[in-house]
């Protein structure tokens, strides 16, 4: 469903991403790993339309999307979280989820002012969907708190819920386990697997926590200094000499 | 702590002397054709020294003084009480607001004409501030040229009535729409700008519109302005002593009462009141609609908002357009109230005052903005004796407010949203 071909991104003299390719099938969890500064987030930024890649193709559901504006790409059903949580901090938790459902809502202003039946029905469905996902990530009790007042782990979960209410087909998670304690990481592990199994979502995961990556990934892509280093199943990656060298070299 | 402040305090005192001495202590006097420089009286010098000493003392003990100021709300007896239960509070609030509106409807019949006139001005500022609140408070777009849209509304009515004899009621929607369209057009070039840059460009737009009105003499009359703007009519009834437009009747004759200039003033006040209430209700509704939430999301985090499929263009332009629309509303009422408008009424200071109202009231908070509009318009009138020091008092009040309550008089409260558990 997603194919990235020879993606390159150059910032002035720095080639941050060099000829990276990867593909994601339906209901698959694909991880991108690599040392700090390898260019993982930059790959995400190109895929989500935040940067315009300087080379290569990104094909999502048969359409070439490289260089399209970010808000259009996300409307195609490809949404992301951020390495540093980006919530609407002064909005309440549930409002964060309502904003995300913009494209499912009746945004005709007149309809909203009058409160037509269609408008109210869609608004109610959005509320129900928000309630469902809040329950799912254990935040229903906190629905009317300001999102900025949540604990860090809760903020991470809210960010994932905020993506899920858009009903995406591809979810991109940038280091979702960063800053979580072991118990929370375990919950996250189960959540991601259930997203794939129960909600038919494919996941692209950037993560430094190797046990999480090895546990849930169907396939793994390793990049180092912008270049693709290896790709394959967790088993293959574990035994790959280049990867071992890169990681041992780093340590 | 006091020791650390000494150097800073001395510096501030010296700056005070440097600034005030040339302004107050030296006078230029014209003697025949020559201008001579003379010193001021001894008392002025003493005053300058006293001022410098005050600054020194204040800066030295700044921390403890500011600490006291911050504690001030604790003197408020209600702040110690438990917050009321939510459903009861909401009910109480809506009762209070209904009560205020009903009071506002009947109040003008018992007070002087001057008070009603002032109240109309307050209502115009409320409309303006509510509109700017959309742009600045909700969408987070710092707009320093807001007065331009107010001018568009006012001039639309003035020009339409002068050249095409169009009445207030026709001009009201046209003025608001034109102001809204202007807002949208001026919004396009600043889509990518934020913060300080946006502020400067919008400031420029505000000035451009004013200068245009000032110089397009053939159309707008330039600095001489436009006069003879008609009053609103009530179902074809005019409020003047004599009927001006053919086909209209006169209010006092129709009802067989004596002519009084007050009827017109009260009528205008009531129109302004109704329009202000409508403005508040519509914007309140917007705030709970997808578009309102999108404004706030964009203010909070533009990147995240876009990553969720919100188009920056659509969201920002809608904020600019709707904000400008209500400024156009206010402008039309203003033109009708004054009967005469000129570019003088649409200077940058107006934008600054409206912005001050929004900030004082509490960004995004409608009730706060309304309270602040009342305070900012009425207090200077009450303190007429000090009118020379109006801006000084205004500035001092702003500084105090920002220290005491940086979040504004009544900070915005999020609406409680009830959710049903899903299985
Ligand atoms: N906007 C930008 N302008 C210039 N250089 C950039 C920009 N964004 C990223 N880079 C550079 O690209 C390289 C890759 O950065 P990137 O954030 O993609 O790494 P990463 O793999 O996500 O690292 P980490 O694991 O620390 O998150 C870095 O050297 C970074 O400095
Ligand atoms: Mg990164």
């Amino acid at each position: 469903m997603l194919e990235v071909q020879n993606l390159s991104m150059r910032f002035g003299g720095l080639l941050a991403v060099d000829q990276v390719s990867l593909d994601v099938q339906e209901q698959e969890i694909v991880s991108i790993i690599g040392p700090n500064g390898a260019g993982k987030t930059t790959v995400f930024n190109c895929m989500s339309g935040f940067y315009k890649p300087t080379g290569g193709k990104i094909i999502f559901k048969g359409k070439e999307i490289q260089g399209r504006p970010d808000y259009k790409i996300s409307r195609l059903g490809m949404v992301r979280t951020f390495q540093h949580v980006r919530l609407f901090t002064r909005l309440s938790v549930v409002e964060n989820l309502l904003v995300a459902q913009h494209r499912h809502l009746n945004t005709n202003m007149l309809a909203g002012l009058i409160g037509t039946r269609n408008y109210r029905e869609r608004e109610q469905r959005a509320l129900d969907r928000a309630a469902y996902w809040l329950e799912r990530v254990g935040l229903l009790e906190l629905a009317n708190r300001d999102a900025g007042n949540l604990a860090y782990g809760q903020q991470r979960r809210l960010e994932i819920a905020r993506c899920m209410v858009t009903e995406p087909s591809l979810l991109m998670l940038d280091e979702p386990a960063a800053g979580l304690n072991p118990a929370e990481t375990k919950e996250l592990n189960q959540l991601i697997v259930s997203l794939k199994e129960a909600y038919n979502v494919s996941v692209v995961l950037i993560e430094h926590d190797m046990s999480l990556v090895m546990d849930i990934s169907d396939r793994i892509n390793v990049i180092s200094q912008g270049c693709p280093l290896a790709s394959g199943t967790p088993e293959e990656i574990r035994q790959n000499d280049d990867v071992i060298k890169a990681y041992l070299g780093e340590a | 702590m006091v020791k650390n402040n000494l150097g800073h305090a001395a510096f501030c005192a010296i700056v005070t002397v440097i600034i005030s001495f040339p302004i107050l202590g030296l006078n230029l006097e014209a003697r025949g054709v020559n201008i001579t420089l003379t010193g001021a009286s001894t008392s002025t010098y003493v005053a300058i020294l006293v001022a410098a000493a005050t600054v020194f003392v204040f800066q030295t003990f700044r921390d403890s003084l500011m600490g006291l100021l911050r504690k001030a709300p604790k003197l408020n007896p209600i702040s110690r009480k438990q917050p009321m239960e939510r459903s009861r509070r909401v009910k109480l609030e809506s009762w209070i607001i209904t009560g205020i509106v009903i009071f506002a409807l009947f109040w003008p019949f018992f007070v002087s004409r001057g008070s009603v006139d002032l109240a109309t001005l307050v209502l115009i500022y409320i409309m303006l501030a509510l509109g700017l609140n959309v742009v600045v408070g909700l969408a987070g777009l710092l707009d320093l040229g807001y007065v331009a849209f107010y001018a568009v509304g006012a001039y639309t009515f003035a020009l339409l009535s002068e050249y095409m004899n169009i009445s207030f009621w026709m001009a009201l929607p046209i003025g608001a729409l034109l102001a809204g369209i202007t807002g949208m057009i001026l919004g396009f070039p600043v889509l990518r700008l934020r913060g300080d840059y946006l502020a400067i460009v919008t400031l420029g737009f505000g000035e451009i519109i004013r200068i245009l009105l000032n110089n397009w003499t053939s159309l707008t009359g330039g600095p001489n302005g436009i006069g003879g703007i008609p009053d609103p009519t009530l179902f074809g009834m005019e409020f003047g002593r004599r009927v001006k437009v053919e086909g209209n009747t006169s209010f006092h004759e129709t009802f067989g009462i004596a002519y009084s200039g007050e009827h017109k003033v009260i009528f205008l006040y009531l129109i302004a009141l109704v329009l202000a209430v409508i403005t508040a209700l519509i914007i309140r509704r917007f705030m709970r609609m997808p578009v309102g939430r999108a404004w706030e999301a964009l203010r909070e985090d533009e990147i995240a908002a876009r990553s969720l499929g919100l188009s920056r263009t659509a969201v920002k332009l809608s904020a600019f357009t709707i904000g400008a629309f209500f400024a156009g509303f206010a402008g039309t009422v203003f033109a009708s109230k004054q009967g005469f408008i000129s570019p003088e009424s649409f200077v940058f200071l107006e934008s600054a005052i409206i912005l001050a109202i929004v900030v004082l009231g509490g960004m995004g908070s409608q009730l706060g903005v309304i309270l602040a509009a009342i305070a900012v318009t009425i207090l200077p009138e009450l303190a007429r004796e000090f009118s020379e020091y109006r801006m000084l008092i205004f500035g001092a009040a702003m500084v105090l407010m920002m220290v005491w309550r940086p979040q504004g008089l009544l900070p915005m409260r999020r609406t409680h949203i009830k959710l049903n558990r899903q299985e």
Side-chain angles (χ1 to χ4, degrees):
Chain A
M1 92 198 286
L2 176 81
E3 226 186 305
V4 176
Q5 298 169 353
N6 304 325
L7 184 75
S8 300
M9 183 73 212
R10 180 182 283 282
F11 297 111
L14 175 80
L15 193 56
V17 175
D18 187 11
Q19 304 278 329
V20 170
S21 299
L22 64 114
D23 69 291
V24 185
Q25 306 304 321
E26 304 274 338
Q27 278 202 314
E28 202 179 26
I29 298 178
V30 175
S31 294
I32 304 177
I33 61 171
N36 288 109
K40 305 178 296 292
T41 300
T42 307
V43 170
F44 259 30
N45 283 339
C46 291
M47 281 162 55
S48 63
F50 189 60
Y51 292 153
K52 211 176 152 135
T54 43
K57 274 187 190 167
I58 303 167
I59 299 161
F60 180 61
K61 291 184 185 161
K63 288 188 203 123
E64 284 192 24
I65 58 165
Q66 70 275 10
R68 285 201 198 181
D70 44 7
Y71 69 94
K72 285 198 177 145
I73 290 180
S74 93
R75 288 179 191 178
L76 292 175
M78 197 171 147
V79 292
R80 65 173 295 185
T81 65
F82 296 87
Q83 183 164 356
H84 303 285
V85 184
R86 283 181 174 274
L87 291 172
F88 306 121
T89 44
R90 281 183 292 171
L91 266 59
S92 67
V93 168
V94 53
E95 282 173 319
N96 268 267
L97 300 193
L98 292 177
V99 168
Q101 300 183 62
H102 210 75
R103 107 191 135 100
H104 298 295
L105 291 164
N106 183 342
T107 48
N108 180 332
M109 287 197 205
L110 214 55
L113 276 182
I114 306 167
T116 59
R117 185 137 160 227
N118 175 284
Y119 170 82
R120 276 179 287 132
E121 281 172 4
R122 288 193 186 209
E123 199 76 7
Q124 188 56 48
R125 250 177 285 149
L127 282 174
D128 291 346
R129 206 177 289 129
Y132 176 85
W133 278 103
L134 285 179
E135 169 98 81
R136 195 71 190 64
V137 298
L139 294 173
L140 189 58
E141 307 304 322
L142 306 173
N144 280 293
R145 289 270 188 89
D146 279 6
N149 290 342
L150 295 184
Y152 189 73
Q154 296 171 329
Q155 296 201 4
R156 285 255 175 227
R157 274 180 281 151
L158 178 59
E159 212 187 10
I160 294 178
R162 193 177 66 179
C163 289
M164 288 311 297
V165 290
T166 69
E167 305 192 325
S169 39
L170 181 76
L171 182 63
M172 301 189 273
L173 302 174
D174 196 346
E175 303 198 17
L180 299 191
N181 63 35
E184 287 173 325
T185 308
K186 200 160 156 248
E187 275 177 41
L188 178 76
N189 182 329
Q190 288 161 358
L191 177 66
I192 297 177
V193 172
S194 84
L195 294 183
K196 162 180 133 172
E197 282 167 2
Y199 303 97
N200 287 324
V201 179
S202 306
V203 179
V204 187
L205 175 72
I206 295 179
E207 189 45 70
H208 282 297
D209 183 329
M210 275 309 144
S211 61
L212 177 69
V213 169
M214 291 298 168
D215 196 21
I216 64 175
S217 305
D218 295 308
R219 281 179 304 122
I220 298 174
N221 290 275
V222 190
I223 54 179
S224 170
Q225 296 183 350
C227 302
L229 191 66
S231 65
T233 61
E235 214 33 54
E236 288 164 8
I237 295 298
R238 222 191 294 266
Q239 280 148 20
N240 187 305
D241 288 337
D242 290 340
V243 178
I244 295 172
K245 220 182 285 162
Y247 270 82
L248 287 180
E250 194 196 22
Chain B
M1 193 140 67
V2 171
K3 234 180 214 163
N4 296 342
N5 283 342
L6 276 180
H8 176 70
F11 178 74
C12 291
I14 291 169
V15 169
T16 312
V17 173
I18 291 176
I19 291 177
S20 48
F21 182 73
I23 297 176
L24 300 171
L26 298 175
N27 292 330
L28 287 176
E29 273 176 32
R31 291 223 179 97
V33 283
N34 297 322
I35 293 176
T36 52
L37 193 64
T38 55
S41 62
T42 339
S43 62
T44 313
Y45 292 130
V46 172
I48 292 174
L49 286 181
V50 169
T54 316
V55 169
F56 181 79
V57 171
F58 174 75
Q59 290 294 343
T60 313
F61 299 103
R62 190 177 53 171
D63 298 315
S64 36
L65 286 175
M66 291 301 205
L68 279 182
L69 196 64
R70 274 200 206 92
K71 283 198 203 102
K74 301 232 171 78
L75 301 174
N76 177 348
I78 12 179
S79 72
R80 243 176 273 148
K81 278 196 190 158
Q82 279 287 317
M84 233 183 286
E85 198 188 317
R86 194 176 42 250
S87 57
R88 261 186 64 201
R89 197 190 59 208
V90 171
K91 217 178 259 170
L92 188 72
E93 273 175 3
S94 60
W95 273 112
I96 292 178
I97 291 173
T98 321
I100 291 176
V101 171
I102 291 174
F103 173 74
L105 272 176
F106 291 103
W107 166 81
F109 297 99
F110 305 102
V111 292
S112 75
R113 183 180 166 148
S115 318
V116 180
D117 219 33
L118 179 62
T120 313
L121 193 67
V122 170
L123 289 166
I124 291 175
Y125 273 104
I126 288 179
M127 281 187 251
L128 286 169
L130 287 173
L132 185 64
N133 193 26
V134 169
V135 184
V136 180
L138 297 176
L141 304 164
L142 186 51
D143 185 347
L144 292 183
Y146 190 63
V147 77
F149 310 120
Y150 184 36
V152 169
Y155 266 88
T156 304
F157 178 31
L159 292 173
L160 282 178
S161 78
E162 172 148 313
Y163 292 103
M164 296 161 77
N165 277 323
I166 281 182
S167 74
F168 173 81
W169 294 110
M170 284 290 289
L172 187 64
I174 301 178
L177 276 180
L178 270 184
I181 292 170
T182 317
M184 189 191 285
I185 293 172
L186 294 189
F188 266 108
V190 296
L191 278 176
R192 287 168 176 279
L193 303 182
R194 29 161 77 222
D196 326 2
Y197 304 99
L198 177 68
I200 290 172
V201 176
T202 50
L203 174 73
F205 281 152
E207 286 300 284
I208 287 172
I209 299 255
R210 187 179 62 82
I211 292 168
L212 186 77
L213 294 173
N214 225 338
N215 289 292
W216 196 350
T217 326
S218 58
L219 183 75
T220 65
N224 295 332
I226 302 177
I229 303 169
D231 304 321
T233 53
L234 177 67
F235 301 115
M237 289 182 277
E238 287 189 12
F239 285 85
R241 194 180 286 280
R242 269 178 214 90
V243 175
K244 285 186 194 138
V245 179
E246 213 163 314
N248 280 352
T249 52
S250 112
F251 178 77
H252 61 100
E253 280 170 9
T254 312
F255 287 92
I257 44 178
Y259 167 78
S260 156
E262 271 187 31
H263 294 159
K264 181 195 116 184
V265 179
I266 293 178
F267 183 55
L268 246 169
Y269 164 85
L270 291 177
I271 290 178
L273 179 65
V274 170
L275 289 180
V277 170
I278 291 177
T279 305
L281 289 179
I282 292 185
I283 292 179
R284 202 170 94 111
R285 184 96 196 155
F286 274 141
M287 285 162 74
R288 285 152 202 202
M289 276 164 48
V291 62
R293 296 190 295 251
W295 291 334
E296 289 195 88
L298 209 69
R299 173 193 74 200
E300 293 297 301
D301 195 324
E302 188 174 315
I303 291 175
R306 277 173 20 205
S307 83
L308 293 165
L310 297 183
S311 141
R312 175 176 66 186
T313 313
V315 177
K316 283 196 180 173
L317 286 185
S318 64
F320 276 124
T321 310
I322 287 169
F325 180 91
F326 289 107
F329 244 39
T332 317
V333 178
F334 177 73
S336 189
K337 169 180 175 295
Q338 300 297 94
F340 163 82
I341 53 168
S342 75
E344 283 284 284
S345 310
F346 307 105
V347 290
F348 169 67
L349 187 63
E350 289 292 314
S351 289
I353 288 179
I354 304 165
L355 183 66
I357 292 175
V358 174
V359 175
L360 275 179
M363 300 261 221
S365 151
Q366 285 201 301
L367 214 52
V369 164
I370 292 172
L371 282 184
I374 296 173
V376 168
T377 335
I378 291 187
L379 288 185
E381 293 295 323
L382 294 182
R384 278 249 162 145
E385 305 93 275
F386 313 110
S387 61
E388 286 170 58
Y389 302 107
R390 208 185 118 182
M391 283 334 262
L392 190 70
I393 296 173
F394 190 55
M398 282 295 275
V399 172
L400 280 180
M401 269 299 295
M402 287 302 107
V403 173
W404 177 56
R405 280 193 86 112
Q407 70 282 59
L409 280 174
L410 280 179
M412 184 180 179
R413 241 194 346 240
R414 309 229 60 90
T415 42
H416 184 90
I417 297 177
K418 205 174 153 298
L419 292 175
N420 306 320
R421 192 175 290 266
Q422 306 290 308
E423 49 301 313

